Amino acid sequence: MALARRLQIGMWNGYMPDHWSAYGSPRINGIEIAQFKDEAQIAEFTAFCEANRLEFGIHTPLLKGQGYSLPSITSVVSDERLLAFHRLEQEASIASRCGADYLLVHYPYPSVMPRRRSERHWAILPEFERYESDQMDAVMFRDVSRRAFEQVAVLQERYGQRIVLEYDFFGDLQDEWVRAFEEFPGIGMVLDFQRLDVHKRTFPGFEPEAFIEAVADRVYLAHYSNTRYEEGRLDRHLPVLPEQQDDPTYGDAYTYLKLLAQRNDKFHVLLEHNPAKVTRDELERCYESVAAVLALPAAPASGPAPAR
């Protein structure tokens, strides 16, 4: 498994050499993939990574044939959990064979809603699969979480494949969410900074800074992008530029990155943004600002390796 610290870009919806040519950089040494056509396309991609000395991780769903549905690993319906872990095992097997550093799945999924919400921000959230607070109490959440973590641990051991769990909305069950990771220290955590900010604004009482401080040492990967809050809509997955920190219409992703970096010097960063929304110069400033916060060494002088 990879040890070098990484800045990654996303390559979703298949192997796209042009995407690497357009958005790769000497700063970038990893890629996260999802929704590839088939295993033959994955093999083509892994050959590209080997030729260009790039590590990669996988965000489920790996294959397009599954549609963009996330495994319901904490469903209250046992048959749905069974199907979710059948899918996850298939992907763990593929990930192990092709040399992926990690396989990522959301936890909890479906998401859990808190009792209180800001109607202003709630009204502009996209649709997503979720439970209301009266559908998932602490006892039930503790039970489905333990089952999920136990099965993830089994799959990690069986396939020798790191599986990481990406934070999703956990309603009023934050303590139970944190406790699950404490009980299973071999399972890595992923924080999504744009979700943290939406969480703060949509669900009163959630404090991202305190949450980051509580879990920082367990974070394996951070998903880094920003949100612009406009009247009646969200513009999500924007590249993060330092000047956004002083603009109240943007989220606080840069602040969250700095806070996490003060408490954890090992986590990787996925630039989970739409790079086409900024200029190439702005994109390089985004890359360099992350590298500066993480105190990474100077980037190589050469540009991105050609796609092969």
Side-chain angles (χ1 to χ4, degrees), residues 6-287:
R6 295 192 304 278
L7 294 188
Q8 303 180 170
I9 60 174
M11 190 178 289
W12 303 290
N13 298 307
Y15 171 47
M16 298 179 291
D18 290 348
H19 187 88
W20 174 253
S21 297
Y23 304 120
S25 163
R27 276 292 181 204
I28 304 302
N29 57 348
I31 298 177
E32 185 176 279
I33 66 173
Q35 289 201 291
F36 272 42
K37 179 181 177 182
D38 50 33
E39 289 196 51
Q41 192 178 63
I42 296 170
E44 186 179 15
F45 168 78
T46 57
F48 159 77
C49 288
E50 289 172 4
N52 294 293
R53 298 181 180 179
L54 298 168
E55 298 287 346
F56 71 96
I58 295 169
H59 190 309
T60 188
L62 173 56
L63 298 175
K64 278 185 177 293
Q66 299 167 327
Y68 193 75
S69 60
L70 303 178
S72 298
I73 66 170
T74 53
S75 171
V76 300
V77 180
S78 60
D79 285 350
E80 291 181 359
R81 294 197 304 272
L82 186 65
L83 178 61
F85 278 96
H86 176 69
R87 278 183 51 190
L88 198 60
E89 180 162 15
Q90 290 178 316
E91 296 200 1
S93 177
I94 297 171
S96 179
R97 292 199 303 272
C98 68
D101 176 58
Y102 63 82
L103 173 64
L104 180 156
V105 62
H106 280 220
Y107 163 70
Y109 203 81
S111 306
V112 182
M113 298 296 96
R115 292 179 177 81
R116 294 190 300 148
R117 62 188 61 155
S118 162
E119 293 304 328
R120 174 190 171 195
H121 288 102
W122 173 255
I124 55 179
L125 282 185
E127 286 295 319
F128 55 94
E129 192 172 355
R130 62 186 184 268
Y131 291 131
E132 296 299 331
S133 58
D134 60 358
Q135 295 176 281
M136 180 71 79
D137 63 18
V139 173
M140 183 178 295
F141 186 71
R142 189 179 307 126
D143 179 60
V144 295
S145 293
R146 176 175 290 277
R147 291 171 186 267
F149 276 69
E150 287 175 347
Q151 289 177 279
V152 166
V154 166
L155 293 179
Q156 286 194 136
E157 178 68 22
R158 181 176 298 162
Y159 294 99
Q161 176 60 57
R162 179 184 288 111
I163 300 175
V164 294
L165 303 184
E166 179 180 347
Y167 131 84
D168 214 317
F169 299 127
F170 41 58
D172 300 309
L173 302 166
Q174 178 173 323
D175 290 346
E176 295 295 337
W177 189 95
V178 172
R179 185 176 294 115
F181 281 97
E182 292 173 346
E183 293 178 359
F184 290 85
I187 296 175
M189 179 188 302
V190 182
L191 293 187
D192 182 316
F193 291 155
Q194 72 89 26
R195 183 175 293 115
L196 280 172
D197 202 77
V198 171
H199 196 160
K200 173 183 70 174
R201 298 188 187 222
T202 307
F203 305 129
F206 177 67
E207 299 178 357
E209 292 82 359
F211 177 62
I212 291 171
E213 290 181 1
V215 303
D217 62 342
R218 296 298 310 281
V219 176
Y220 183 76
L221 174 71
H223 279 188
Y224 189 55
S225 68
N226 221 349
T227 301
R228 182 167 60 240
Y229 298 87
E230 301 175 349
E231 192 60 39
R233 66 184 295 267
L234 298 177
D235 193 2
R236 299 189 303 148
H237 297 301
L238 299 173
V240 185
L241 300 172
E243 58 265 28
Q244 294 169 0
Q245 188 178 22
D246 299 321
D247 187 337
T249 65
Y250 285 90
D252 293 325
Y254 188 63
T255 298
Y256 304 148
L257 178 69
K258 291 193 295 182
L259 181 60
L260 180 59
Q262 290 167 5
R263 290 157 175 78
N264 180 332
D265 62 359
K266 296 180 175 62
F267 68 94
H268 306 299
V269 174
L270 168 70
L271 298 152
E272 195 187 34
H273 56 216
N274 181 350
K277 291 193 173 186
V278 295
T279 68
R280 180 69 211 200
D281 286 346
E282 288 174 323
L283 201 59
E284 289 292 348
R285 286 203 295 117
C286 173
Y287 297 165

